[in-house]
Amino acid sequence: MNNKTVKKGLFPYVFLFCFIIVCLLIFQNFNTTVNNFTYDEFIKELDSNEIKELNIVPKTRSETYEITGKLKDYDENETFTLTLPKSDEFISKITDAADKNKFTLNVEKDPESSEWLAVLTEIIPLAILVGATFWLFTRQIGGNNKSMDFGKSRAKLLEEGTKTNFKDVAGLTEEKEEVKELIDFLKNPKKFQAMGARIPKGVLLVGPPGTGKTLLARAVAGEAKVPFYYISGSDFVELFVGIGASRVRDMFKQAKMNAPCLIFIDEIDAVGRQRGTGLGGGHDEREQTLNQLLTEMDGFGPHEGIIVIAATNRPDVLDPALLRPGRFDRQVTVGLPDKNARLEILKVHAKNKTLDKNITLEYLAKRTPGFSGADLENLLNEAALLTVRRGKKAITMSEIDEATDRVIMGPAKVTKKYTDKEKKLVAYHEAGHAVVGLKLEGANDVQKITIIPRGQAGGYTMMTPKEETFTSTKQELLESISGLLGGRVAEEIEFGEITTGAHDDFKKATKIARSMVTEYGMSKLGPMMLEEPSGNTFLGRDYTKNRNVSDIVAHEIDEEMRSIINECYEKTKKILKENKNLLDLIANTLLEEETITKEQIDSLVKTGHLPNEENKEEEKNTDEDSSKETKSNKEQKTDKE
């Protein structure tokens, strides 16, 4: 039997026993009668020989006697009491009366007369009060806020049972090769010492969010089987100046005691920003913390066995002293995965998922360019949640499509209803994007078109590149601008008016055009860098954008941008007018279906029908041919007869 069950069963009986005892004591006190006597009443009873029993307790501090007793005619539970000042004559009188009248006289010792007892009665309550106050204070401070541990490191030591290995990190093939030297050094440092080689003291992982920087650092510690200290850059900085520096010292002190080991600082830009920058000047606490971090990394011995790995997606804001040789010697760029890397990542995250047999991970990897590892994990998780919600037993392509839309644009706003005019306008807008994308050679592949509102968009056209490349040609950029303008041009052709629905398209098109003129040298102004791609990162990129040009050149930049946009606009208008039938077909199909996929779009372009409608038409034609053939056979048989 469980001990907790036994205790729980005995508790009512213990409570009942205590309750009975308390009731008996209260009942006994209720039955006791106490009479308060005055001095005259007591002397009268003493002289008349009515006292049966008398108890005298002297009180040293108050210089009084507490007298209790019984009279001869009292009941068993009846007593009298009185308090009198101390007097030798009074004691002699009572003693003589006791000898004469033969009643019981008890003179007790004063309980307060002991010096030790007096000291204890004075000190113990005070000590209990002070102790309770101190306990509550330390419990509140130390247990909840850890305020007494200001200078202690907040770095967490990774548990042994949660080690991560390289097999848990999909993709990142080149990045793994870069950090394998760290593992070899942590396992066998003497091999490097014999060659006189110095292993990097710090490795900076740079890349967009969700690309696996933290996972890669944990895998290094798991492969090397060494302690792994994890801390975020924001854990150093506090309100009080000097606390962050103290935490840095304590962290490296712990690391030296457990060397060889790894220290991983996530989001190091929170503490490693350039010193003395910003509108308000420097930040004393953050700068002191950074100074201490620089000192500790510089103070490493050549073979102490401590390696610092840091991660950030803002390398442009880091202090130059942090990136010099001897501190973060090596930078490893962890970029977005390509098609093969996405396939490996999907294989890892699909291990515990039940996929339909018609779904191939190669197809998913191809249609998700620009997705990070975190995005791919979220995509499969959203698809699994939708599968459970719909009561299915396997993830189908329907759930994959919906999950992709959720990751890119957010959940569908099913309750938001269009008017008939708005719905038709959105349909032609999205169809315009699609037709331009289909008819331009260098344009992206149209994967999906929908007019179901998501996020801030009334609809959208999903387009993916035919091949993933590192650079873009001038023709490809111009065709991208034309594709972005397709929605506005379709509205103008069909309705003869324009709406606000293309504002985001214009924003993207203008950005591409300006970059072509000012950064890429793809205009009549020639191959010149007229604007820096980013301004002061601490004062706002656009607010302090560097423009080393005159007013005349700035005017020419605006003219070139306008020329590029206008040429692309006219080209887009020509394409849509020449393919007006296809524009109407896709728009009308969207009005009926609301969402069409790549297979359906290809079928519309080739046959003018959706795949299921085409099959129905073929079945109808087959039935008509069969009936004609049967009728012809019957007529021939009749002629023979």
Side-chain angles (χ1 to χ4, degrees):
M1 184 180 294
N2 194 353
N3 292 332
K4 292 184 179 179
T5 306
V6 174
K7 293 179 180 179
K8 187 176 180 180
L10 291 177
F11 179 76
Y13 298 101
V14 174
F15 177 77
L16 180 62
F17 176 76
C18 296
F19 180 74
I20 293 173
I21 296 297
V22 172
C23 290
L24 291 175
L25 293 174
I26 294 174
F27 180 75
Q28 183 178 4
N29 291 332
F30 280 154
N31 290 337
T32 302
T33 303
V34 180
N35 300 314
N36 294 318
F37 277 12
T38 62
Y39 177 77
D40 294 336
E41 291 175 342
F42 174 72
I43 295 298
K44 180 180 178 182
E45 298 294 341
L46 183 65
D47 293 340
S48 60
N49 193 20
E50 293 296 327
I51 294 177
K52 178 181 179 182
E53 181 180 342
L54 197 64
N55 298 314
I56 301 175
V57 179
K59 296 294 184 180
T60 305
R61 293 187 179 182
S62 58
E63 296 293 332
T64 58
Y65 292 118
E66 287 188 0
I67 301 173
T68 59
K70 292 184 178 182
L71 300 181
K72 292 180 179 180
D73 57 350
Y74 276 6
D75 295 332
E76 183 178 356
N77 294 325
E78 188 176 4
T79 59
F80 68 86
T81 180
L82 75 157
T83 301
L84 299 175
K86 280 187 177 182
S87 173
D88 294 337
E89 296 180 0
F90 178 71
I91 292 297
S92 299
K93 185 175 182 179
I94 292 177
T95 304
D96 294 341
D99 294 337
K100 179 179 178 182
N101 300 328
K102 306 298 182 183
F103 61 83
T104 305
L105 176 63
N106 297 319
V107 180
E108 299 179 2
K109 186 178 180 181
D110 183 8
E112 299 178 357
S113 61
S114 173
E115 295 182 0
W116 286 104
L117 184 60
V119 172
L120 291 177
T121 54
E122 291 287 344
I123 294 178
I124 288 179
L126 182 60
I128 292 175
L129 180 61
V130 173
T133 304
F134 180 77
W135 179 79
L136 289 174
F137 179 77
T138 54
R139 180 180 177 84
Q140 179 69 19
I141 298 299
N144 296 336
N145 300 328
K146 302 293 183 183
S147 300
M148 301 301 289
D149 297 333
F150 276 128
K152 298 295 182 182
S153 171
R154 298 292 179 89
K156 303 177 182 64
L157 180 62
L158 188 69
E159 297 179 1
E160 294 294 332
T162 57
K163 294 295 184 183
T164 305
N165 299 316
F166 277 163
K167 65 180 181 180
D168 301 315
V169 183
L172 303 183
T173 305
E174 293 80 7
E175 291 80 357
K176 291 178 186 177
E177 292 295 329
E178 286 292 321
V179 297
K180 275 186 178 179
E181 290 181 358
L182 307 181
I183 300 171
D184 294 338
F185 173 75
L186 292 171
K187 286 184 175 180
N188 187 14
K190 294 182 180 179
K191 180 173 64 174
F192 293 86
Q193 295 173 11
M195 189 58 63
R198 179 183 63 81
I199 204 69
K201 292 183 179 180
V203 177
L204 184 65
L205 303 179
V206 180
T211 51
K213 300 184 291 293
T214 302
L215 186 64
L216 181 62
R218 293 180 60 177
V220 173
E223 291 288 338
K225 297 179 180 177
V226 296
F228 177 74
Y229 287 94
Y230 169 84
I231 190 170
S232 175
S234 60
D235 289 335
F236 290 113
V237 182
E238 283 286 355
L239 174 65
F240 304 106
V241 177
I243 299 301
S246 176
R247 289 178 178 174
V248 171
R249 288 192 294 270
D250 187 66
M251 180 181 68
F252 281 97
K253 179 181 178 182
Q254 294 181 26
K256 291 175 183 178
M257 294 171 60
N258 293 279
C261 67
L262 275 175
I263 298 175
F264 178 63
I265 305 175
D266 198 8
E267 305 296 343
I268 194 173
D269 52 273
V271 69
R273 292 194 174 197
Q274 295 181 22
R275 291 165 286 184
T277 54
L279 287 172
H283 186 287
D284 287 341
E285 165 62 2
R286 181 175 55 77
E287 291 184 6
Q288 284 197 20
T289 305
L290 175 59
N291 291 337
Q292 188 62 45
L293 179 62
L294 297 174
T295 302
E296 291 290 339
M297 293 189 69
D298 231 8
F300 281 174
H303 307 297
E304 284 190 357
I306 301 174
I307 296 177
V308 182
I309 300 179
T312 182
N313 53 11
R314 298 283 306 279
D316 53 325
V317 305
L318 296 180
D319 194 279
L322 199 62
L323 304 177
R324 74 158 177 81
R327 285 167 182 154
F328 283 101
D329 307 82
R330 182 177 299 177
Q331 291 189 29
V332 178
T333 301
V334 184
L336 292 172
D338 58 9
K339 178 183 174 183
N340 295 329
R342 291 197 299 272
L343 177 59
E344 296 298 323
I345 294 171
L346 287 170
K347 287 180 179 179
V348 171
H349 295 303
K351 287 181 179 179
N352 60 342
K353 307 287 191 306
T354 304
L355 298 178
D356 187 77
K357 60 182 180 180
N358 296 324
I359 296 179
T360 59
L361 296 180
E362 290 80 4
Y363 175 68
L364 294 182
K366 182 180 179 181
R367 62 174 291 175
T368 52
F371 277 49
S372 66
D375 292 332
L376 294 172
E377 189 276 334
N378 190 31
L379 170 64
L380 291 181
N381 184 63
E382 287 288 345
L385 293 175
L386 287 170
T387 303
V388 175
R389 189 182 305 171
R390 295 175 179 178
K392 296 182 179 180
K393 295 184 179 179
I395 300 173
T396 64
M397 202 62 212
S398 175
E399 284 74 42
I400 293 292
D401 285 336
E402 177 65 21
T404 304
D405 295 340
R406 281 172 171 263
V407 172
I408 297 175
M409 302 292 294
K413 296 183 178 180
V414 182
T415 57
K416 184 177 181 179
K417 300 298 181 183
Y418 285 124
T419 63
D420 292 338
K421 182 179 179 180
E422 283 180 325
K423 189 173 183 180
K424 186 176 180 180
L425 192 145
V426 173
Y428 270 92
H429 182 101
E430 300 304 331
H433 288 305
V435 171
V436 176
L438 290 169
K439 294 302 177 180
L440 291 177
E441 292 293 333
N444 296 336
D445 284 338
V446 181
Q447 297 289 341
K448 183 179 182 179
I449 314 172
T450 180
I451 59 173
I452 298 175
R454 290 178 182 273
Q456 300 297 322
Y460 77 99
T461 302
M462 180 189 295
M463 304 176 73
T464 59
K466 296 176 181 178
E467 294 182 0
E468 296 181 39
T469 59
F470 289 100
T471 59
S472 297
T473 65
K474 180 179 179 180
Q475 186 64 25
E476 290 173 348
L477 293 175
L478 292 174
E479 291 180 351
S480 297
I481 295 175
S482 297
L484 291 168
L485 298 176
R488 164 59 69 85
V489 175
E491 294 175 10
E492 185 178 353
I493 291 175
E494 179 63 24
F495 301 98
E497 60 181 359
I498 56 179
T499 67
T500 60
H503 70 282
D504 189 59
D505 298 331
F506 293 158
K507 178 181 178 181
K508 295 177 181 177
T510 304
K511 183 177 180 181
I512 295 174
R514 189 170 198 90
S515 297
M516 290 177 65
V517 177
T518 62
E519 298 178 32
Y520 307 148
M522 295 180 179
S523 69
K524 295 179 182 178
L525 297 180
M528 299 174 61
M529 175 68 73
L530 302 175
E531 288 181 353
E532 294 291 337
S534 62
N536 193 313
T537 56
F538 300 99
L539 301 180
R541 297 180 186 274
D542 296 330
Y543 181 72
T544 59
K545 208 164 189 178
N546 296 326
R547 297 183 180 180
N548 299 320
V549 296
S550 64
D551 293 339
I552 297 176
V553 176
H555 176 71
E556 292 178 354
I557 291 173
D558 295 337
E559 290 294 329
E560 285 296 314
M561 289 174 53
R562 186 179 294 109
S563 175
I564 292 173
I565 296 294
N566 289 338
E567 289 177 6
C568 292
Y569 193 88
E570 294 300 323
K571 182 178 181 180
T572 303
K573 184 182 291 187
K574 180 180 178 182
I575 292 173
L576 291 181
K577 284 183 177 180
E578 292 175 353
N579 298 274
K580 183 64 167 58
N581 293 334
L582 181 59
L583 177 67
D584 294 335
L585 178 61
I586 294 177
N588 292 330
T589 305
L590 280 172
L591 289 173
E592 295 178 3
E593 302 292 333
E594 292 189 338
T595 301
I596 53 178
T597 60
K598 178 176 173 56
E599 294 77 10
Q600 294 172 319
I601 296 169
D602 293 340
S603 178
L604 287 174
V605 174
K606 292 179 181 178
T607 65
H609 301 284
L610 293 176
N612 53 354
E613 293 179 355
E614 183 182 356
N615 294 336
K616 290 179 181 179
E617 189 68 26
E618 290 179 356
E619 292 176 0
K620 182 179 179 181
N621 295 334
T622 303
D623 293 340
E624 290 177 356
D625 294 340
S626 300
S627 61
K628 290 179 180 180
E629 184 178 353
T630 304
K631 184 177 180 180
S632 177
N633 292 335
K634 288 182 179 180
E635 290 176 353
Q636 292 177 3
K637 184 177 181 181
T638 304
D639 293 340
K640 289 180 180 179
E641 291 177 352

